[in-house]
Amino acid sequence: FGDWRIDGYYQYGHNRDLLRYDDTLRIDRIYRGIDSVVNPATGEIICRSTLTFPTDGCVPVNLFGAGSVSEAARAYVTEGRFEQVQDVTEHVAEFTVQGSLLHLPAGPISLATGINWRSEAVENRPRTTPAALASQTVPPASTQGYRGLPSSYTGAGIFERTAVNYLQGRYEVAELFAEAAIPLLANRTLLQSLTLHTALRYARYSGSGTVAAWKGGLDWELNDALRLRATRSRDVRAGSLSERFDFRGGGSVITDPGLPGTPTYPIVATRSGNPSVNPEKADTWTSGFVYKPAFAPGLSISADYYDIGIGNAISVLGVQNIVNRCQAGNAQSCALILRSSTDGRILFVRDMVLNVAGIRSRGVDVEMAWRQRLSWLGGDESLAVRLLANRTLAMSETGITGIKVDRSDQTGVVGGAPAWQTNMSVAYRRDSLQLTLQERLISSGRYNAMLASGGIDNNHVASAAYTNLRGSWSLRQQPGLTVYAQVSNLFDHNPPRAPDWTFIGSAPTNESLFDVLGRRYVIGFSYERP
């Protein structure tokens, strides 16, 4: 069809994952074993419940000190096997047409258009073995002869803290899209070329209806050395399978303003998906330049400013926010809470995925690349230097409460972004040998952006720098064979201290930013058949 190209394809994919937890922890037995006393008759340490029920089989659990839990105690508080089998299935079909639509004085209009259909399905099947354990619940501690069991666990499943994830659902999306590059002007003074880039995409999602995404941008090439660019776009993201259909149970800790004294205690909570959650919508502005100076062959410098605002962000309210909103009189939040009919304590909170937040991100991306041929050692040599840097100016979230929190410059608690992140690499190549030195830098920051001055003794997190070294050698005697070695975190730098605590344990630093493994080595080879 002349300079037109037509493509079409259908793709099917299926993936199955199996998670298995052997010897899962029983809530009823761990609290029974912790409540240990001295047997007045023998002087031995026994479970309190054994004084009332001598044949209950309880084994005392000592939680103090490494290795303090005996093998007998471990065997007593663990039982059975928990499994999760997850199947994810995807069908994708697409038909596209691309080519030149019309020739303008500045050049031809390039057009690409097409249709896409996608179907995604997920099914997660949790299973407890033996099956009889799945239906067992925790009886009241008062009937079992021990103390200390939180009231919220009474009547709950004995494996309440196991990562149970019930997930089943399917959705479809049909899309119609088109993208064009329209040359407006060419070969003018200070205007080598001016091109308009446009794009439009309509998508219809089952469960949340139709949404449009679009883009408009200008690319202005002044000369061979300098190019300016700017883009305005509306971007969308639909809810994932997990955000639409997930249902998982677990524990949480809440502070209850609805009871005298505002007590803090553990509860049972679920996170449930929402098949009707609306797509996120983001308004994005970008502008920048690319500079390739004639006086420095091989050098390229680019910088881009970005401003991204997301509305209807897909998230959850959070268990504590639901409790607080209910206390403030919000009936919808109260409907997600179940309280005990005896003491009024919260037994259960359902945390549903909703369009609840607004997110704003602003910053500058900088890239510099330089490559030059050399003759230092008289061979076929080259040196390449590349620098990537990001300056975060804002990273804020406005939740359903209307409170805006800017977490830029937060490197302690997970969820923020460093003010500066840089990644620089220097690569030297001579014939079949290549050596690469990489340096990654994370600037210092705040531990928690929500803590005001004086609200914490030390709200500062130190900077971190990591050096990686890699070498590779392509063997001439065996074409296609390359051997390599790499050292990560060459100087074995420890991560800065930024401790945090969650329901499942503590962490000494922000593991999403900092290296927690230390120096490590990799030696290997790759082979590609010539």
Side-chain angles (χ1 to χ4, degrees):
F1 298 96
D3 61 348
W4 287 85
R5 175 176 173 177
I6 300 176
D7 293 296
Y9 73 89
Y10 166 77
Q11 177 178 306
Y12 167 79
H14 177 260
N15 182 68
R16 169 170 290 184
D17 290 321
L18 171 64
L19 290 175
R20 174 177 293 171
Y21 306 90
D22 292 322
D23 297 330
T24 47
L25 182 67
R26 291 188 53 151
I27 293 297
D28 56 340
R29 291 187 176 179
I30 185 65
Y31 280 97
R32 185 194 293 254
I34 291 173
D35 188 14
S36 301
V37 297
V38 176
N39 188 335
T42 64
E44 296 178 319
I45 301 297
I46 62 170
C47 300
R48 182 185 299 275
S49 62
T50 305
L51 294 176
T52 305
F53 304 98
T55 60
D56 67 353
C58 181
V59 179
V61 178
N62 179 13
L63 298 181
F64 299 98
S68 59
V69 178
S70 67
E71 283 299 314
R74 188 197 65 79
Y76 172 70
V77 300
T78 57
E79 186 178 8
R81 170 184 294 171
F82 180 77
E83 296 177 341
Q84 292 188 123
V85 180
Q86 184 176 97
D87 288 291
V88 178
T89 305
E90 183 180 62
H91 300 266
V92 180
E94 185 170 281
F95 177 80
T96 61
V97 178
Q98 53 184 317
S100 298
L101 180 65
L102 180 67
H103 283 264
L104 300 178
I109 297 177
S110 298
L111 174 69
T113 185
I115 56 176
N116 177 280
W117 172 83
R118 185 171 72 254
S119 172
E120 297 189 19
V122 62
E123 181 179 6
N124 192 86
R125 301 179 298 280
R127 179 177 60 188
T128 300
T129 306
L133 296 175
S135 60
Q136 292 189 26
T137 59
V138 180
S142 59
T143 66
Q144 305 300 306
Y146 69 96
R147 306 171 304 175
L149 178 72
S151 60
S152 59
Y153 289 147
T154 300
I158 59 174
F159 300 129
E160 178 268 321
R161 296 196 189 192
T162 302
V164 179
N165 183 12
Y166 299 92
L167 182 60
Q168 184 174 14
R170 177 177 178 270
Y171 78 91
E172 295 183 359
V173 55
E175 297 177 314
L176 176 65
F177 56 88
E179 185 171 357
I182 306 173
L184 302 179
L185 296 170
N187 301 321
R188 306 287 182 89
T189 302
L190 291 181
L191 204 156
Q192 189 164 306
S193 68
L194 180 64
T195 304
L196 172 66
H197 297 274
T198 62
L200 179 64
R201 179 181 294 262
Y202 278 101
R204 181 174 183 83
Y205 293 91
S206 59
S208 54
T210 302
V211 63
W214 50 266
K215 179 187 77 170
L218 285 174
D219 194 323
W220 175 12
E221 190 173 356
L222 283 79
N223 48 50
D224 291 338
L226 182 60
R227 181 161 60 94
L228 306 180
R229 56 194 180 191
T231 302
R232 170 73 168 88
S233 66
R234 163 63 62 84
D235 308 297
V236 299
R237 185 188 76 86
S240 64
L241 287 170
S242 175
E243 291 165 335
R244 288 170 175 260
F245 307 111
D246 194 7
F247 185 89
R248 64 183 64 191
S252 185
V253 177
I254 58 101
T255 298
D256 189 353
L259 293 180
T262 316
T264 299
Y265 53 89
I267 64 165
V268 177
T270 63
R271 180 187 183 279
S272 60
N274 182 357
S276 300
V277 68
N278 292 319
E280 295 178 339
K281 297 180 180 179
D283 292 316
T284 303
W285 288 90
T286 64
S287 60
F289 68 87
V290 179
Y291 181 49
K292 299 179 179 179
F295 62 82
L299 176 63
S300 174
I301 302 173
S302 66
D304 290 279
Y305 168 80
Y306 60 86
D307 186 342
I308 305 171
I310 302 177
N312 292 327
I314 298 173
S315 185
V316 291
L317 286 174
V319 173
Q320 187 63 56
N321 284 333
I322 294 174
V323 173
N324 294 343
R325 284 166 56 83
C326 176
Q327 181 64 20
N330 185 283
Q332 291 179 330
S333 295
C334 292
L336 302 174
I337 299 174
L338 175 64
R339 287 187 178 269
S340 170
S341 59
T342 56
D343 59 9
R345 287 199 168 205
I346 294 175
L347 302 176
F348 171 85
V349 174
R350 181 187 179 193
D351 198 4
M352 179 184 289
V353 172
L354 299 169
N355 298 101
V356 300
I359 299 173
R360 178 111 182 258
S361 177
R362 294 189 302 114
V364 178
D365 287 326
V366 178
E367 179 177 357
M368 185 195 75
W370 176 75
R371 185 180 182 87
Q372 187 67 44
R373 289 187 175 277
L374 304 172
S375 57
W376 289 348
L377 302 177
D380 180 14
E381 303 168 71
S382 66
L383 185 68
V385 180
R386 189 181 187 194
L387 171 67
L388 299 174
N390 171 260
R391 174 68 168 97
T392 301
L393 301 175
M395 186 177 178
S396 63
E397 179 174 338
T398 304
I400 200 167
T401 60
I403 299 176
K404 179 180 178 180
V405 178
D406 188 351
R407 297 188 183 274
S408 59
D409 194 33
Q410 175 181 299
T411 59
V413 177
V414 174
W420 280 100
Q421 291 190 82
T422 63
N423 195 326
M424 183 175 182
S425 63
V426 179
Y428 169 79
R429 184 186 64 82
R430 185 181 187 276
D431 297 328
S432 300
L433 173 68
Q434 178 164 315
L435 299 175
T436 303
L437 182 68
Q438 181 187 47
E439 187 73 16
R440 183 166 69 97
L441 175 65
I442 301 168
S443 65
S444 61
R446 293 176 290 174
Y447 174 74
N448 191 336
M450 297 185 66
L451 297 176
S453 178
I456 185 174
D457 290 338
N458 184 7
N459 199 25
H460 176 79
V461 179
S463 62
Y466 303 104
T467 304
N468 302 324
L469 181 62
R470 177 185 173 90
S472 64
W473 180 269
S474 299
L475 277 69
R476 294 180 177 178
Q477 299 84 352
Q478 182 61 57
L481 179 62
T482 300
V483 295
Y484 60 87
Q486 178 171 321
V487 183
S488 300
N489 196 351
L490 178 65
F491 300 107
D492 198 23
H493 284 167
N494 292 324
R497 294 181 180 179
D500 195 14
W501 183 87
T502 65
F503 185 77
I504 59 174
S506 60
T509 192
N510 185 342
E511 297 182 3
S512 65
L513 281 177
F514 304 116
D515 189 332
V516 296
L517 299 178
R519 185 190 296 120
R520 51 201 182 274
Y521 309 89
V522 175
I523 299 176
F525 70 91
S526 63
Y527 178 73
E528 182 178 352
R529 186 175 180 179

